[in-house]
Amino acid sequence: MSKQELVVLGQDQSGCCPALLTAPLDEGQAVELAKVFKALGDPVRLRLLSMIASREGGEICVCDLTPAFDLSQPTISHHLKLLRQAGLIDCERRGTWVYYRLLPETTDKLAAVLTRPGQPTATEAPS
Amino acid sequence: MSKQELVVLGQDQSGCCPALLTAPLDEGQAVELAKVFKALGDPVRLRLLSMIASREGGEICVCDLTPAFDLSQPTISHHLKLLRQAGLIDCERRGTWVYYRLLPETTDKLAAVLTRPGQPTATEAPS
């Protein structure tokens, strides 16, 4: 599973993120950033992402995701694919099942993009 | 201009935000949060938001927004309306023109929603 999608967020001068709140985005930055927000702009995808992100152990079997929704397996798979293409999650097949995990670099970058100047960001702050 | 749209983000136990990364979102939270992310999931709206947010003085005349885009005034107005309905911006008419400003409470909340547990959030951190 390629992680190439992660580059869609672009980089600001600090090597992190487009500066959404401090300077006008250029068109290319806006196009790439909008793809990630669009992936989050759906209730089913948000619920899938939160189930994956909050799972103890850091990953969840697709077999544990599907029963939570009144949707077909292909529909769930489609939503998972969009989250993956946006660089928000990654997956690994082991045996019969596919296991999904959060890519926290992307949510960290989005949090930084949405943080006002002068406020510490998730990626800059000490853990 | 009503600010009622701000409630769409819901609240977690700390009175801030749905816990996207720490616990599965319920369906209602996901529906409301998805509306705000959907509003951000468009390049023109992201550019408008960044022009508004980064403007010195905190507000910008619609007459300074429109010339930056190769789009009609009604199209720009439609995008601004969607940002306003998502609680991301507010506006005020003064004389001939309408002036737009960021509602930082909403971007702060989104930043908090996307911040991993144990990381300081924009809304919790000292300024």
Side-chain angles (χ1 to χ4, degrees), chain A residues 21-22 115-120:
Chain A
L21 302 181
T22 53
T115 298
R116 282 182 284 163
Q119 308 265 17

Side-chain angles (χ1 to χ4, degrees), chain A residues 66-82:
Chain A
T66 312
F69 298 87
D70 191 19
L71 295 168
S72 70
Q73 174 62 50
T75 301
I76 296 293
S77 291
H78 174 70
H79 284 302
L80 289 167
K81 183 182 169 189
L82 294 180

Side-chain angles (χ1 to χ4, degrees), chain A residues 73-117:
Chain A
Q73 174 62 50
T75 301
I76 296 293
S77 291
H78 174 70
H79 284 302
L80 289 167
K81 183 182 169 189
L82 294 180
L83 288 172
R84 208 155 49 71
Q85 287 177 336
L88 287 157
I89 59 172
D90 201 359
C91 68
E92 186 185 350
R93 177 177 287 279
R94 291 202 300 275
T96 309
W97 299 111
V98 178
Y99 294 80
Y100 287 88
R101 65 183 178 85
L102 180 72
L103 289 178
E105 311 89 288
T106 304
T107 47
D108 284 355
K109 283 181 183 177
L110 291 180
V113 157
L114 289 161
T115 298
R116 282 182 284 163

Side-chain angles (χ1 to χ4, degrees), chain A residues 20-25 30 33-34 37-38 40-43 46-47 50 53-54 104 107-108 110-111 114-116 119-120 122 125, chain B residues 20-25 30-31 33-34 37-38 40-43 46-47 50 53-54 104 107-108 110-111 114-116 119-120 122 125:
Chain A
L20 176 62
L21 302 181
T22 53
L25 284 178
L33 193 53
F37 283 125
K38 195 172 179 181
L40 294 174
D42 177 274
L46 278 182
R47 287 179 63 204
S50 78
S54 63
T107 47
D108 284 355
L110 291 180
L114 289 161
T115 298
R116 282 182 284 163
Q119 308 265 17
Chain B
L20 176 62
L21 302 181
T22 53
L25 284 178
V31 166
L33 194 54
F37 283 125
K38 195 172 178 181
L40 294 174
D42 177 274
L46 278 182
R47 288 179 63 203
S50 78
S54 63
T107 47
D108 284 356
L110 291 181
L114 290 161
T115 298
R116 282 183 284 164
Q119 307 264 19

